Amino acid sequence: MFEALSDFVAHTYGRYILLIDEYDIPFITVHLANWSKEDKQAAQDILKLLFQTMLKDNDNLRKGLLLGVFEIPLTEMGSGANNIKDIRMVPAEVNDIESSILSADQPHTGSGIDALTDSFWFNAKEVELMLENSIGWCPRIARHKPFIMDEIRSWYNGYFIGRFRGKYNPWSVSSFIEELCIVLNQSQSRRTNIKRIVQTATRSYWVTTGTTGLIEAQIDRHRAQFTELAQKLLRNYELTKLNEDADKTMCEPPHVPLNSTQLNLISLDQDQFSEPGLLTLCLFAGYLTRHSSTSVCIPNHEVYQVWLKLFARA
């Protein structure tokens, strides 16, 4: 089927660029399935053959671009996918980010990989511009822009993308501004407590769109270990916020260590608890972010709410 479609496209338009979004989902589905090892292996073999057909044994292909949350080592799986350039949104090793952290306050003006990774998620300037543009739709925002920006920063900022610290979650920011404008425009009274409306509109948006299947599988199998880990992450986040409220007069709490995020999802043993493995899953899924070159933390209040729910689940 794919070969016939490929030949048709190439004959009609010439050699093409193949875009594959969420390429990791089929592998995750197989990994979480309640199947025997033999059935899982058979399913993985089918996926290997499909990727080999698409990416190697394909004379019609000019280039391929694969996007996914979790890294699937295609070359190690024997898929035949050669010459892969791995562009990571999450730095893998200490040496990848030490002494090379960039601020996400402004758009990156350079080129290469930094320019590409900076195009993912919003920087502070883009959030301010979006809020400014929304004033035409909702004029009442203008008087409260500083307060609104503080709320957006607390709830949706804090991500470390590539070498850029301080990225904003684009889906959550966009959803929050849309919801805020709708509620404000529906409120006819000028005596409405706008700050209360802003605080009501700040809630979890993005986290309701994703799946936590791999993380929940680890929780279900290793409740005691997960509870201990979640307590550390939650406590560190809460202490960090106390420091910020106290103008950083307190000592910064130690964050959870994670030196390497090299993880082969396919070979991950669900029955064996691995703190680095679980931290890496959470990091890739956006439920943690790099705090430094050797540690991770909860990025913002939106994700903090998710960790509270995961902790309650355990």
Side-chain angles (χ1 to χ4, degrees), residues 87-136:
I87 302 174
R88 304 173 62 99
M89 298 299 102
V90 177
E93 306 290 347
V94 173
N95 294 335
D96 291 344
I97 56 176
E98 272 190 344
S99 305
S100 62
I101 298 173
L102 303 175
S103 171
D105 291 338
Q106 300 283 341
H108 183 62
T109 57
S111 59
I113 297 301
D114 285 340
L116 177 62
T117 55
D118 186 42
S119 67
F120 287 83
W121 298 45
F122 288 163
N123 56 52
K125 194 70 174 179
E126 290 167 329
V127 175
E128 292 171 1
L129 180 61
M130 179 179 289
L131 196 59
E132 182 70 26
N133 290 341
S134 70
I135 292 176

Side-chain angles (χ1 to χ4, degrees), residues 216 218-228 312-314:
E216 290 173 351
Q218 286 285 302
I219 296 174
D220 292 340
R221 286 174 169 83
H222 312 288
R223 294 186 183 278
Q225 296 94 325
F226 175 82
T227 298
E228 182 179 353
R313 173 193 174 94

Side-chain angles (χ1 to χ4, degrees), residues 231-298:
Q231 283 179 327
K232 288 191 292 185
L233 289 164
L234 290 167
R235 182 172 61 250
N236 289 350
Y237 178 83
E238 291 159 358
L239 288 174
T240 299
K241 291 306 171 185
L242 284 175
N243 289 356
E244 292 176 357
D245 294 341
D247 296 326
K248 297 185 178 180
T249 55
M250 301 167 60
C251 295
E252 185 172 342
H255 290 274
V256 178
L258 179 63
N259 290 322
S260 173
T261 58
Q262 296 287 10
L263 175 69
N264 187 337
L265 178 64
I266 302 304
S267 63
L268 181 65
D269 187 350
Q270 295 276 33
D271 294 327
Q272 296 294 322
F273 179 77
S274 166
E275 182 170 302
L278 179 56
L279 289 173
T280 300
L281 291 177
C282 294
L283 189 63
F284 285 164
Y287 295 103
L288 292 174
T289 192
R290 280 288 190 186
H291 175 262
S292 70
S293 59
T294 57
S295 63
V296 293
C297 63
I298 296 173

